[in-house]
Amino acid sequence: DYIRRALVFLVVSCPCALVISVPLSYFGGIGSASAHGILVKGSNYLERFSRANIFVFDKTGTLTKGSFSVGEVHPAAERDAILRLAAIAEEHSSHPIARSICEAWTGDVEEGYVLTDLSGLGVRAEREGDVILCGNERLMRESGIALPEDGNALLGTAVYVAHNGVYAGRISITDEARSESREVLSSLRASGAETVMLTGDRAEVAERVASELGISAYRASLLPQDKVREVEKRLTEKGKGDVLCFIGDGINDAPVLMLSDVGVAMGGVGSDAAIEAADIVLMDDDPKKIAKAIRISRKCLGIVYQNIVFALGVKLICLLLGALGLANMWLAIFADVGVMILAVLNAIRARFVKKL
């Protein structure tokens, strides 16, 4: 009798249901995300993303379309001269802002300048003592270039140009916010999540975008290393159960994507470095996929917990009955194989999430 009880106990205690259904639930969740254009690089990121409640966004190319165009040029009377100088400095740059400036200048670009990329500041072009500086306000200040008092009057991203140590003018680069950004930020706020925007643009531009999209907080005029320090600070200050998610697209975002709890990259306009560093990639650059990814991850985790509770609950009951001699081998097989089949069928549900 006790040998029979031991055999029943042994069959019931086999962990097949857990060993098969839990990984299968994660596979289903990752497969469902892939079907919706969301690449998740591991089940641990899927689980972590389901608990994300702090969302930090890069601005350009993430919350905005990243399709730049030259707007105002100040002073307007010197438009051609300013665009010519800026095009010389930005000719070989692949940055979207640089390309928009080069496209706006229809004339010939002079050759022979030695171009030096100044990280987080701009570009220096030099030829036989002729020096052109093209970049942000910080570059002008560090180079000792005096700016006019109305230097922040232009809307959009301001690109400043100096020629041989003298301020020449500034170019306004406009970038339109994504209509989808407003929708996803609204849904994140409704769920109680904190939303933050980090940008290298001036405070006036950042404030306008944050107000337009309804972002909780923002930090402006940040260099790439400043973004890293800002995220490090927030990671230090966050609560024990909080999960910080950073969403970006540029090569400068790669360190922050690796540093955050969950890094999300835009796969279409995103740089290779950002895609490599991210834990989750949105293949078609649609910010609404963030909300979709959260739904998929939470459904997947819910199914995992259902399978764990169901399998352990049935097994514990059957183990108790087996130990008391009230369970036969048929019940033991059901508690093993039957529960496993039911858990697997439940895990398959993770594969199906309704489209937005």
Side-chain angles (χ1 to χ4, degrees), residues 66-348:
S67 54
F68 298 96
S69 61
V70 172
E72 300 177 67
V73 178
H74 186 274
E78 302 293 331
R79 179 183 176 89
D80 289 345
I82 295 169
L83 286 176
R84 181 185 70 84
L85 294 172
I88 291 172
E90 304 286 9
E91 179 185 8
H92 299 296
S93 174
S94 60
H95 194 284
I97 291 180
R99 300 322 310 158
S100 68
I101 292 174
C102 293
E103 290 170 3
W105 171 243
T106 57
D108 296 330
V109 179
E110 299 175 33
E111 301 289 340
Y113 282 85
V114 177
L115 305 180
T116 305
D117 181 49
L118 307 174
S119 179
L121 298 175
V123 179
R124 174 189 174 94
E126 185 172 2
R127 183 185 69 178
E128 299 177 355
D130 188 37
V131 180
I132 302 171
L133 294 176
C134 183
N136 57 23
E137 185 178 354
R138 184 176 297 187
L139 173 62
M140 298 294 112
R141 290 201 309 267
E142 293 185 3
S143 302
I145 308 296
L147 297 177
E149 294 183 0
D150 63 341
N152 292 329
L154 296 181
L155 293 176
T157 301
V159 177
Y160 296 86
V161 181
H163 189 208
N164 293 328
V166 179
Y167 172 75
R170 61 189 183 275
I171 304 169
S172 171
I173 307 296
T174 59
D175 184 18
E176 186 180 352
R178 296 176 187 266
S179 58
E180 304 91 345
S181 299
R182 190 178 296 103
E183 183 179 339
V184 70
L185 287 167
S186 176
S187 65
L188 290 175
R189 289 196 311 273
S191 67
E194 179 185 359
T195 56
V196 183
M197 181 181 72
L198 304 182
T199 178
D201 278 340
R202 295 176 294 121
E204 292 80 4
V205 178
E207 182 180 7
R208 177 172 58 83
V209 174
S211 176
E212 181 181 349
L213 298 179
I215 297 173
S216 306
Y218 68 88
R219 290 292 309 278
S221 302
L222 298 178
L223 294 175
Q225 56 268 31
D226 297 329
K227 289 184 179 181
V228 173
R229 284 194 287 269
E230 180 67 22
V231 171
E232 285 178 339
K233 177 184 176 183
R234 291 185 175 275
L235 286 171
T236 303
E237 295 175 350
K238 70 182 180 71
K240 185 177 179 181
D242 293 337
V243 175
L244 186 147
C245 174
F246 180 84
I247 302 97
D249 70 300
I251 189 171
N252 292 331
D253 295 326
V256 192
L257 288 166
M258 296 188 68
L259 179 66
S260 57
D261 293 328
V262 181
V264 180
M266 297 293 186
V269 299
S271 68
D272 292 342
I275 294 172
E276 179 68 24
D279 306 314
I280 299 174
V281 181
L282 308 181
M283 300 308 298
D284 56 1
D285 298 337
D286 185 355
K288 289 194 296 184
K289 294 297 177 66
I290 296 172
K292 169 63 73 174
I294 293 175
R295 287 179 55 192
I296 292 173
S297 62
R298 290 179 177 172
K299 179 175 181 179
C300 175
L301 264 291
I303 290 173
V304 168
Y305 294 142
Q306 289 171 13
N307 284 340
I308 291 174
V309 172
F310 173 67
L312 291 181
V314 172
K315 285 182 177 293
L316 287 174
I317 294 172
C318 292
L319 285 174
L320 180 61
L321 294 175
L324 297 175
L326 300 177
N328 56 24
M329 190 56 71
W330 288 110
L331 183 61
I333 293 173
F334 168 77
D336 179 26
V337 181
V339 170
M340 179 195 69
I341 293 174
L342 293 176
V344 166
L345 292 174
N346 191 43
I348 294 175

Side-chain angles (χ1 to χ4, degrees), residues 26 29-30 40 42-50 297 300-301:
Y26 284 117
I30 293 173
V40 183
S43 58
N44 53 330
Y45 306 125
L46 194 68
E47 180 177 359
R48 208 176 297 164
F49 195 60
S50 69
S297 62
C300 175
L301 264 291

